[in-house]
Amino acid sequence: MEQKESQKIVGTFSIASFLNDLGSDMIYPIWPLFVTSILGANVAVLGFIDGLGEATVSLSQAGSGYLSDRLRKRKVFIWTGYLLGAISRIGYALSVIWQHLIPFRILDRSGKIRGSPRDAIVADVSTKENRGRNFGLLRAMDNLGAVFGILTCFLSFGYLGYKKLFFLASIPSLISAVLVLAFIKERKTKRIYKGLSLKDLNPNFRLFLLLSALFALGSFSYSFLLVYAKEFGFEETLTILLYLEFTAVASLMSLPFGKLADKLKRKTVLILSYFLFGLMCFGFIFVKSYLGIIALFAVYGLHKAAIDPVQRTLVSELSPLKYRASTLGAFQMVTGLCALPASLLAGLLWVNFGKSVPFYFSLSLTALATILMLFIEEP
Protein backbone atom coordinates (compact mmCIF):
# COMPACT_ATOMS: atom_id res chain seq x y z
CA MET A 1 0.00 0.00 0.00
CA GLU A 2 1.18 3.52 -0.79
CA GLN A 3 2.37 5.57 2.14
CA LYS A 4 -0.15 8.32 1.34
CA GLU A 5 -3.10 5.92 1.56
CA SER A 6 -1.71 4.45 4.77
CA GLN A 7 -1.41 7.91 6.32
CA LYS A 8 -4.98 8.72 5.27
CA ILE A 9 -6.33 5.62 7.01
CA VAL A 10 -4.38 6.21 10.21
CA GLY A 11 -5.27 9.91 10.11
CA THR A 12 -9.01 9.21 9.71
CA PHE A 13 -8.98 6.73 12.56
CA SER A 14 -7.05 9.24 14.69
CA ILE A 15 -9.65 11.98 14.17
CA ALA A 16 -12.52 9.55 14.81
CA SER A 17 -10.79 8.35 17.99
CA PHE A 18 -10.29 11.93 19.11
CA LEU A 19 -13.98 12.75 18.67
CA ASN A 20 -15.23 9.55 20.27
CA ASP A 21 -13.07 10.03 23.35
CA LEU A 22 -14.11 13.68 23.47
CA GLY A 23 -17.66 12.42 23.98
CA SER A 24 -16.73 9.56 26.29
CA ASP A 25 -14.68 11.69 28.62
CA MET A 26 -17.32 14.33 29.00
CA ILE A 27 -18.96 11.81 31.30
CA TYR A 28 -16.19 9.52 32.59
CA PRO A 29 -14.87 12.00 35.21
CA ILE A 30 -18.32 12.24 36.80
CA TRP A 31 -19.33 8.63 36.17
CA PRO A 32 -18.34 7.15 39.57
CA LEU A 33 -19.93 10.09 41.38
CA PHE A 34 -23.10 9.79 39.26
CA VAL A 35 -23.38 6.08 40.10
CA THR A 36 -22.67 6.43 43.83
CA SER A 37 -23.93 9.90 44.77
CA ILE A 38 -26.87 10.44 42.38
CA LEU A 39 -28.18 6.90 41.82
CA GLY A 40 -27.26 5.61 45.27
CA ALA A 41 -24.99 2.63 44.52
CA ASN A 42 -22.14 1.63 46.86
CA VAL A 43 -18.52 1.03 45.83
CA ALA A 44 -19.06 -2.72 45.35
CA VAL A 45 -21.93 -2.04 42.91
CA LEU A 46 -19.75 0.52 41.11
CA GLY A 47 -17.05 -2.14 40.79
CA PHE A 48 -19.59 -4.61 39.43
CA ILE A 49 -20.93 -2.17 36.82
CA ASP A 50 -17.44 -1.11 35.72
CA GLY A 51 -16.22 -4.71 35.65
CA LEU A 52 -19.26 -5.82 33.68
CA GLY A 53 -18.54 -3.05 31.20
CA GLU A 54 -14.94 -4.17 30.73
CA ALA A 55 -15.99 -7.81 30.40
CA THR A 56 -18.41 -6.71 27.68
CA VAL A 57 -15.52 -4.95 25.95
CA SER A 58 -13.58 -8.20 25.90
CA LEU A 59 -16.44 -10.25 24.48
CA SER A 60 -17.34 -7.64 21.87
CA GLN A 61 -13.75 -7.30 20.68
CA ALA A 62 -13.30 -11.05 20.49
CA GLY A 63 -16.58 -11.46 18.61
CA SER A 64 -15.87 -8.65 16.19
CA GLY A 65 -12.32 -9.90 15.62
CA TYR A 66 -13.59 -13.38 14.80
CA LEU A 67 -16.38 -12.13 12.53
CA SER A 68 -14.11 -9.55 10.91
CA ASP A 69 -11.69 -12.27 9.81
CA ARG A 70 -14.48 -14.69 8.97
CA LEU A 71 -16.47 -12.24 6.84
CA ARG A 72 -13.37 -10.40 5.59
CA LYS A 73 -14.94 -7.10 6.57
CA ARG A 74 -13.66 -4.45 8.99
CA LYS A 75 -15.45 -1.17 8.35
CA VAL A 76 -18.97 -2.12 9.47
CA PHE A 77 -17.77 -3.03 12.95
CA ILE A 78 -15.95 0.28 13.34
CA TRP A 79 -18.74 2.72 12.48
CA THR A 80 -21.33 0.61 14.30
CA GLY A 81 -19.16 0.70 17.41
CA TYR A 82 -19.12 4.48 17.43
CA LEU A 83 -22.89 4.56 16.93
CA LEU A 84 -23.50 2.25 19.91
CA GLY A 85 -21.43 4.52 22.12
CA ALA A 86 -23.56 7.51 21.16
CA ILE A 87 -26.84 5.69 21.84
CA SER A 88 -25.70 4.48 25.27
CA ARG A 89 -25.01 8.00 26.52
CA ILE A 90 -28.58 8.97 25.73
CA GLY A 91 -29.60 5.96 27.81
CA TYR A 92 -27.49 7.14 30.75
CA ALA A 93 -29.25 10.48 30.63
CA LEU A 94 -32.62 8.74 30.89
CA SER A 95 -31.65 6.47 33.82
CA VAL A 96 -33.18 7.18 37.23
CA ILE A 97 -31.91 4.19 39.28
CA TRP A 98 -28.56 2.40 39.08
CA GLN A 99 -30.16 -0.78 37.74
CA HIS A 100 -31.10 1.14 34.58
CA LEU A 101 -27.40 1.68 33.89
CA ILE A 102 -26.66 -2.01 33.35
CA PRO A 103 -28.12 -2.47 29.83
CA PHE A 104 -26.78 0.89 28.68
CA ARG A 105 -23.33 0.13 30.14
CA ILE A 106 -23.35 -3.12 28.18
CA LEU A 107 -24.40 -1.24 25.04
CA ASP A 108 -21.73 1.41 25.65
CA ARG A 109 -18.91 -1.08 26.03
CA SER A 110 -20.24 -3.20 23.15
CA GLY A 111 -19.20 -0.22 21.07
CA LYS A 112 -15.68 -1.59 21.41
CA ILE A 113 -16.52 -3.98 18.57
CA ARG A 114 -14.65 -1.36 16.57
CA GLY A 115 -11.37 -2.08 18.38
CA SER A 116 -10.01 -5.34 16.93
CA PRO A 117 -11.00 -4.65 13.27
CA ARG A 118 -9.58 -1.12 13.49
CA ASP A 119 -6.34 -2.33 15.10
CA ALA A 120 -6.03 -5.04 12.45
CA ILE A 121 -6.31 -2.43 9.69
CA VAL A 122 -3.70 -0.23 11.37
CA ALA A 123 -1.35 -3.19 11.84
CA ASP A 124 -1.83 -4.22 8.20
CA VAL A 125 -1.04 -0.77 6.76
CA SER A 126 1.98 -0.31 9.05
CA THR A 127 5.51 -1.63 8.91
CA LYS A 128 7.68 -2.93 11.74
CA GLU A 129 9.50 0.42 11.69
CA ASN A 130 6.37 2.55 12.27
CA ARG A 131 3.79 0.20 13.82
CA GLY A 132 4.54 1.32 17.37
CA ARG A 133 4.38 4.95 16.25
CA ASN A 134 1.01 4.46 14.54
CA PHE A 135 -0.55 2.76 17.54
CA GLY A 136 1.02 5.43 19.74
CA LEU A 137 -0.53 8.15 17.56
CA LEU A 138 -3.96 6.55 17.83
CA ARG A 139 -3.65 6.33 21.58
CA ALA A 140 -2.37 9.90 21.79
CA MET A 141 -5.42 11.11 19.85
CA ASP A 142 -7.67 9.01 22.08
CA ASN A 143 -6.21 10.70 25.11
CA LEU A 144 -6.15 14.15 23.54
CA GLY A 145 -9.86 13.81 22.84
CA ALA A 146 -10.27 12.74 26.44
CA VAL A 147 -8.46 15.88 27.62
CA PHE A 148 -10.84 18.12 25.69
CA GLY A 149 -13.78 16.05 26.89
CA ILE A 150 -12.72 16.48 30.51
CA LEU A 151 -12.23 20.22 30.02
CA THR A 152 -15.72 20.40 28.52
CA CYS A 153 -17.04 18.51 31.52
CA PHE A 154 -15.26 20.77 33.97
CA LEU A 155 -16.39 23.99 32.30
CA SER A 156 -20.00 22.98 31.58
CA PHE A 157 -20.93 20.57 34.37
CA GLY A 158 -22.03 23.35 36.69
CA TYR A 159 -24.38 24.70 34.02
CA LEU A 160 -25.63 21.51 32.40
CA GLY A 161 -25.64 18.95 35.19
CA TYR A 162 -25.44 15.20 34.66
CA LYS A 163 -28.34 14.57 32.28
CA LYS A 164 -27.74 17.31 29.70
CA LEU A 165 -24.03 16.56 29.69
CA PHE A 166 -24.77 12.93 28.82
CA PHE A 167 -26.94 14.05 25.88
CA LEU A 168 -24.20 16.39 24.65
CA ALA A 169 -21.62 13.60 24.89
CA SER A 170 -23.43 11.51 22.28
CA ILE A 171 -22.79 13.98 19.44
CA PRO A 172 -19.02 13.51 18.83
CA SER A 173 -19.40 9.73 18.51
CA LEU A 174 -22.10 10.19 15.89
CA ILE A 175 -19.65 12.32 13.89
CA SER A 176 -16.99 9.59 14.25
CA ALA A 177 -19.35 7.04 12.72
CA VAL A 178 -19.98 9.37 9.77
CA LEU A 179 -16.22 9.92 9.24
CA VAL A 180 -15.53 6.20 9.02
CA LEU A 181 -18.44 5.67 6.64
CA ALA A 182 -17.26 8.51 4.39
CA PHE A 183 -13.48 8.13 4.29
CA ILE A 184 -12.54 4.52 5.00
CA LYS A 185 -12.77 2.07 2.12
CA GLU A 186 -13.40 -1.59 2.85
CA ARG A 187 -10.29 -3.68 2.26
CA LYS A 188 -11.15 -7.37 2.09
CA THR A 189 -8.46 -9.80 3.14
CA LYS A 190 -7.71 -12.96 1.22
CA ARG A 191 -10.05 -15.88 1.79
CA ILE A 192 -7.73 -17.71 4.15
CA TYR A 193 -9.67 -17.80 7.41
CA LYS A 194 -10.19 -21.28 8.83
CA GLY A 195 -10.84 -20.48 12.50
CA LEU A 196 -8.47 -19.61 15.34
CA SER A 197 -7.52 -22.12 18.02
CA LEU A 198 -4.86 -22.29 20.71
CA LYS A 199 -2.71 -24.54 18.55
CA ASP A 200 -2.36 -21.65 16.10
CA LEU A 201 -0.70 -19.59 18.84
CA ASN A 202 2.89 -20.31 19.77
CA PRO A 203 3.97 -20.91 23.39
CA ASN A 204 5.51 -17.43 23.49
CA PHE A 205 2.14 -15.79 22.80
CA ARG A 206 0.36 -18.08 25.27
CA LEU A 207 2.77 -17.01 28.00
CA PHE A 208 2.17 -13.37 27.14
CA LEU A 209 -1.58 -13.99 27.28
CA LEU A 210 -1.23 -15.60 30.71
CA LEU A 211 0.85 -12.82 32.25
CA SER A 212 -1.40 -10.15 30.73
CA ALA A 213 -4.43 -11.88 32.28
CA LEU A 214 -2.71 -11.94 35.68
CA PHE A 215 -1.93 -8.24 35.43
CA ALA A 216 -5.51 -7.49 34.33
CA LEU A 217 -6.86 -9.27 37.44
CA GLY A 218 -5.19 -6.62 39.54
CA SER A 219 -5.80 -3.68 37.21
CA PHE A 220 -9.05 -2.33 38.65
CA SER A 221 -11.09 0.55 37.22
CA TYR A 222 -9.92 4.17 37.50
CA SER A 223 -13.23 4.81 39.30
CA PHE A 224 -11.69 3.58 42.54
CA LEU A 225 -8.95 6.19 42.32
CA LEU A 226 -11.51 8.98 41.93
CA VAL A 227 -13.63 7.68 44.82
CA TYR A 228 -10.45 7.40 46.92
CA ALA A 229 -9.61 11.03 46.13
CA LYS A 230 -13.13 12.18 46.99
CA GLU A 231 -13.07 10.33 50.31
CA PHE A 232 -9.64 11.78 51.03
CA GLY A 233 -11.13 15.27 50.78
CA PHE A 234 -10.99 16.42 47.15
CA GLU A 235 -14.12 18.30 46.09
CA GLU A 236 -16.25 16.97 43.23
CA THR A 237 -14.94 19.48 40.69
CA LEU A 238 -11.35 18.76 41.74
CA THR A 239 -11.78 15.04 41.07
CA ILE A 240 -12.61 16.03 37.48
CA LEU A 241 -9.24 17.81 37.34
CA LEU A 242 -7.49 14.70 38.69
CA TYR A 243 -9.06 12.71 35.87
CA LEU A 244 -7.90 15.41 33.48
CA GLU A 245 -4.39 15.18 34.90
CA PHE A 246 -3.80 11.48 34.29
CA THR A 247 -5.51 11.62 30.90
CA ALA A 248 -3.41 14.60 29.79
CA VAL A 249 -0.22 12.81 30.85
CA ALA A 250 -1.33 9.71 28.93
CA SER A 251 -2.08 11.85 25.88
CA LEU A 252 1.28 13.59 25.91
CA MET A 253 3.31 10.45 26.51
CA SER A 254 1.55 7.77 24.39
CA LEU A 255 3.33 8.71 21.16
CA PRO A 256 6.78 9.00 22.82
CA PHE A 257 6.31 5.59 24.44
CA GLY A 258 5.19 4.15 21.09
CA LYS A 259 8.31 5.54 19.41
CA LEU A 260 10.44 4.25 22.28
CA ALA A 261 9.03 0.77 21.73
CA ASP A 262 10.11 0.99 18.07
CA LYS A 263 13.67 1.72 19.16
CA LEU A 264 13.87 -0.59 22.18
CA LYS A 265 12.29 -3.96 22.83
CA ARG A 266 8.52 -3.86 23.20
CA LYS A 267 8.68 -5.82 26.44
CA THR A 268 11.10 -3.31 27.97
CA VAL A 269 8.45 -0.61 27.71
CA LEU A 270 5.76 -2.98 28.99
CA ILE A 271 7.87 -3.85 32.03
CA LEU A 272 8.23 -0.11 32.64
CA SER A 273 4.43 0.25 32.45
CA TYR A 274 4.01 -2.50 35.06
CA PHE A 275 6.56 -0.81 37.30
CA LEU A 276 4.65 2.48 37.06
CA PHE A 277 1.38 0.77 37.99
CA GLY A 278 3.05 -0.89 40.96
CA LEU A 279 4.52 2.44 42.02
CA MET A 280 1.06 3.99 41.89
CA CYS A 281 -0.43 1.20 44.03
CA PHE A 282 2.41 1.53 46.54
CA GLY A 283 1.82 5.27 46.67
CA PHE A 284 -1.92 5.01 47.33
CA ILE A 285 -1.18 2.70 50.26
CA PHE A 286 1.33 4.97 52.00
CA VAL A 287 0.96 8.54 50.65
CA LYS A 288 -1.39 10.65 52.76
CA SER A 289 -1.11 14.16 51.32
CA TYR A 290 -2.95 16.11 48.64
CA LEU A 291 0.22 16.76 46.65
CA GLY A 292 1.15 13.09 46.86
CA ILE A 293 -2.19 11.98 45.46
CA ILE A 294 -1.91 14.54 42.65
CA ALA A 295 1.51 13.09 41.78
CA LEU A 296 0.15 9.54 41.83
CA PHE A 297 -2.49 10.40 39.25
CA ALA A 298 0.36 11.56 36.98
CA VAL A 299 2.12 8.22 37.53
CA TYR A 300 -1.11 6.44 36.56
CA GLY A 301 -1.19 8.51 33.37
CA LEU A 302 2.37 7.42 32.53
CA HIS A 303 1.37 3.80 33.07
CA LYS A 304 -1.59 4.13 30.68
CA ALA A 305 0.58 5.86 28.08
CA ALA A 306 3.14 3.07 28.19
CA ILE A 307 0.89 0.01 28.26
CA ASP A 308 -1.89 0.75 25.77
CA PRO A 309 -0.08 1.32 22.44
CA VAL A 310 2.84 -1.02 23.15
CA GLN A 311 0.63 -3.92 24.25
CA ARG A 312 -1.37 -3.72 21.01
CA THR A 313 1.82 -3.52 19.00
CA LEU A 314 3.31 -6.63 20.61
CA VAL A 315 0.08 -8.63 20.31
CA SER A 316 -0.21 -7.80 16.60
CA GLU A 317 3.38 -8.94 16.03
CA LEU A 318 3.13 -12.13 18.09
CA SER A 319 -0.09 -13.18 16.36
CA PRO A 320 -0.25 -15.20 13.12
CA LEU A 321 -0.78 -12.75 10.25
CA LYS A 322 -3.89 -14.41 8.86
CA TYR A 323 -5.52 -14.45 12.30
CA ARG A 324 -4.51 -10.94 13.33
CA ALA A 325 -7.97 -9.48 14.03
CA SER A 326 -9.07 -12.69 15.76
CA THR A 327 -5.94 -12.75 17.91
CA LEU A 328 -6.27 -9.10 18.87
CA GLY A 329 -9.89 -9.77 19.77
CA ALA A 330 -9.07 -12.94 21.70
CA PHE A 331 -6.41 -11.08 23.66
CA GLN A 332 -8.89 -8.34 24.54
CA MET A 333 -11.44 -10.98 25.50
CA VAL A 334 -9.14 -12.75 27.94
CA THR A 335 -7.79 -9.58 29.57
CA GLY A 336 -11.20 -7.92 29.53
CA LEU A 337 -12.95 -10.89 31.16
CA CYS A 338 -10.44 -10.51 33.98
CA ALA A 339 -11.65 -6.93 34.45
CA LEU A 340 -15.02 -8.04 35.85
CA PRO A 341 -13.57 -9.98 38.79
CA ALA A 342 -10.80 -7.37 39.11
CA SER A 343 -13.13 -4.43 39.73
CA LEU A 344 -15.71 -6.51 41.62
CA LEU A 345 -13.02 -7.98 43.88
CA ALA A 346 -11.47 -4.56 44.41
CA GLY A 347 -14.87 -3.21 45.46
CA LEU A 348 -15.51 -6.11 47.85
CA LEU A 349 -12.04 -5.84 49.39
CA TRP A 350 -12.55 -2.09 49.77
CA VAL A 351 -15.95 -2.44 51.48
CA ASN A 352 -15.02 -5.36 53.76
CA PHE A 353 -11.34 -4.87 54.59
CA GLY A 354 -10.45 -1.25 53.83
CA LYS A 355 -9.46 0.79 50.82
CA SER A 356 -5.75 -0.10 51.00
CA VAL A 357 -6.28 -3.84 50.53
CA PRO A 358 -7.10 -3.71 46.77
CA PHE A 359 -3.78 -1.94 46.20
CA TYR A 360 -1.84 -4.68 48.06
CA PHE A 361 -3.59 -7.31 45.92
CA SER A 362 -2.73 -5.45 42.71
CA LEU A 363 0.90 -5.06 43.75
CA SER A 364 1.26 -8.83 44.15
CA LEU A 365 -0.16 -9.66 40.72
CA THR A 366 1.86 -6.89 39.06
CA ALA A 367 5.08 -8.31 40.50
CA LEU A 368 4.22 -11.80 39.21
CA ALA A 369 3.34 -10.51 35.73
CA THR A 370 6.63 -8.56 35.59
CA ILE A 371 8.66 -11.67 36.40
CA LEU A 372 6.90 -13.68 33.67
CA MET A 373 7.48 -10.88 31.16
CA LEU A 374 11.22 -11.51 31.40
CA PHE A 375 10.69 -14.84 29.62
CA ILE A 376 8.89 -13.38 26.58
CA GLU A 377 10.81 -13.56 23.30
CA GLU A 378 10.00 -10.84 20.77
CA PRO A 379 9.69 -11.68 17.06
Side-chain angles (χ1 to χ4, degrees), residues 252-303:
L252 290 171
M253 296 304 298
S254 289
L255 185 55
F257 274 124
K259 290 182 176 179
L260 184 64
D262 285 335
K263 295 180 180 179
L264 304 177
K265 289 186 176 181
R266 318 293 196 202
K267 75 175 188 178
T268 301
V269 181
L270 282 175
I271 289 173
L272 175 60
S273 77
Y274 288 178
F275 171 79
L276 289 167
F277 187 81
L279 180 63
M280 181 211 69
C281 291
F282 185 85
F284 272 102
I285 295 170
F286 295 105
V287 172
K288 303 299 178 185
S289 69
Y290 286 97
L291 288 177
I293 290 176
I294 292 171
L296 290 173
F297 271 87
V299 173
Y300 183 61
L302 289 172
H303 157 72

Side-chain angles (χ1 to χ4, degrees), residues 80-94 104 107-108 170 173-174:
T80 301
Y82 288 130
L83 184 62
L84 291 176
I87 295 171
S88 68
R89 289 162 210 158
I90 297 173
Y92 293 151
L94 300 175
F104 293 115
L107 189 67
D108 184 2
S170 68
S173 291
L174 288 173

Side-chain angles (χ1 to χ4, degrees), residues 215-242:
F215 179 77
L217 278 172
S219 186
F220 46 76
S221 167
Y222 74 91
S223 294
F224 292 95
L225 304 183
L226 295 181
V227 173
Y228 184 101
K230 186 173 185 294
E231 290 190 0
F232 188 82
F234 284 87
E235 295 180 1
E236 194 173 65
T237 52
L238 292 180
T239 62
I240 297 176
L241 292 180
L242 289 174

Side-chain angles (χ1 to χ4, degrees), residues 120-135:
I121 291 177
V122 173
D124 288 344
V125 302
S126 303
T127 65
K128 186 175 179 60
E129 288 71 30
N130 66 13
R131 190 169 287 121
R133 174 197 173 277
N134 286 342
F135 278 116

Side-chain angles (χ1 to χ4, degrees), residues 54-107:
E54 293 310 308
T56 302
V57 169
S58 67
L59 292 173
S60 64
Q61 293 217 35
S64 66
Y66 171 85
L67 290 174
S68 178
D69 281 343
R70 184 87 180 185
L71 302 174
R72 299 181 297 132
K73 293 181 182 293
R74 313 284 201 214
K75 179 177 174 179
V76 63
F77 297 99
I78 303 170
W79 68 261
T80 301
Y82 288 130
L83 184 62
L84 291 176
I87 295 171
S88 68
R89 289 162 210 158
I90 297 173
Y92 293 151
L94 300 175
S95 298
V96 294
I97 57 175
W98 68 259
Q99 288 88 345
H100 290 167
L101 297 175
I102 293 176
F104 293 115
R105 188 64 169 173
I106 292 173
L107 189 67

